[in-house]
Amino acid sequence: MSADRPLALAPHAIVTDIEGTTGSIHFVHRVLFPYARRHLAEWLELNAAQPAVAEQLELARLEAGEPDASVARLGELLGGWIDQDRKSTPLKALQGMIWERGYLEGDFKGHVYMDAAERLRTWHGRGIALYVYSSGSIHAQKLLFGHSEAGDLTGLFSGYFDTTTGPKREAESYRAIQREIGAPGGEILFLSDVVEELDAAREAGLRTVQLVRKPGMRVGDHPCVERFDQISFD
């Protein structure tokens, strides 16, 4: 699909992935993950007693099957999960808390492709409701878009979804998102670079477009674009 082959109708809502879709995969894997990995052990020792942190550490103990794990042991476990890119809800929550320090101290800014930022602003201006669905925590999503290279984009979004809604490769997660948005699946467009996520969204009745930002990416039988500004509507 390209700009001269528009989608049939403008959707009521657009739900977008982040990594590989609105921003570079490299930002997550070369900036965010290493930052959390470097600061994890020290940060946990300093903050483990805070209620929000303690809650996530208890969830990590349950997930690991080690109910008596010390903070130091949890640091080892969580560090290994970062290395594995494990889709763990407590890990994602804790990473978001650590990244907040990096954003606030100006160690980095959230990477957003300019074509994505511009088209998101255009869609918002047209009254299309915009949402984010990412494996990163909602807190981390808001930090990335709130401290992005394109400025504070959080005002464009009507809501955020993460793994607390469900796994991104399962259709029921998209049915839950549809119920939350309150629109028929055919009036919701989901954008992602991952075929399995798009397949699950389509199974739930959502419309789909795959972002193929790099040569050689695996594609499915979804409409494909290289940039957000190639997505248009009648």
Side-chain angles (χ1 to χ4, degrees):
M1 187 186 78
S2 62
D4 60 349
R5 295 175 58 195
L7 296 175
L9 294 170
H12 170 82
I14 296 174
V15 181
T16 183
D17 173 47
I18 294 178
E19 186 177 332
T21 303
T22 62
S24 171
I25 292 174
H26 294 319
F27 172 68
V28 176
H29 289 272
R30 296 180 183 176
V31 178
L32 291 183
F33 283 1
Y35 186 89
R37 191 74 169 87
R38 286 196 306 273
H39 295 282
L40 177 65
E42 176 190 8
W43 187 88
L44 287 179
E45 290 293 341
L46 291 173
N47 296 281
Q50 294 184 17
V53 178
E55 178 183 3
Q56 298 304 323
L57 291 179
E58 190 59 30
L59 291 173
R61 290 186 178 96
L62 292 173
E63 184 173 328
E66 297 188 23
D68 299 319
S70 66
V71 172
R73 171 58 180 158
L74 287 171
E76 295 174 0
L77 288 169
L78 291 164
W81 293 356
I82 291 174
D83 295 341
Q84 299 163 17
D85 190 14
R86 181 162 170 160
K87 308 302 183 185
S88 160
T89 295
L91 170 64
K92 297 298 183 181
L94 293 165
Q95 281 179 316
M97 296 177 197
I98 296 171
W99 293 334
E100 181 172 12
R101 183 175 93 174
Y103 284 114
L104 294 179
E105 294 184 359
D107 293 337
F108 45 77
K109 290 184 180 293
H111 181 267
V112 178
Y113 291 113
M114 288 301 105
D115 61 272
E118 291 170 4
R119 191 48 63 97
L120 288 168
R121 290 188 176 108
T122 297
W123 290 333
H124 179 263
R126 291 181 58 180
I128 299 173
L130 304 177
Y131 297 84
V132 179
Y133 183 27
S134 172
S135 58
S137 69
I138 289 173
H139 181 54
Q141 296 172 29
K142 291 179 177 179
L143 286 170
L144 188 153
F145 286 111
H147 300 270
S148 87
E149 296 166 349
D152 183 354
L153 302 178
T154 54
L156 302 179
F157 297 105
S158 297
Y160 303 82
F161 301 97
D162 61 12
T163 54
T164 60
T165 296
K168 294 187 70 183
R169 302 186 181 199
E170 294 186 6
E172 184 53 39
S173 302
Y174 298 89
R175 296 188 184 101
I177 288 172
Q178 176 186 335
R179 291 191 294 269
E180 182 69 22
I181 292 174
E187 295 182 13
I188 302 172
L189 174 63
F190 177 59
L191 309 177
S192 177
D193 63 319
V194 178
V195 173
E196 290 82 0
E197 295 175 4
L198 295 161
D199 289 345
R202 184 174 57 191
E203 182 181 341
L206 277 63
R207 295 155 64 184
T208 57
V209 170
Q210 183 177 5
L211 271 293
V212 184
R213 291 194 176 271
K214 292 186 175 181
M217 285 181 55
R218 187 168 73 86
V219 298
D221 55 353
H222 304 269
C224 294
V225 297
E226 296 176 356
R227 301 163 49 91
F228 270 52
D229 52 20
Q230 293 175 326
I231 302 171
S232 61
F233 313 110
D234 281 341

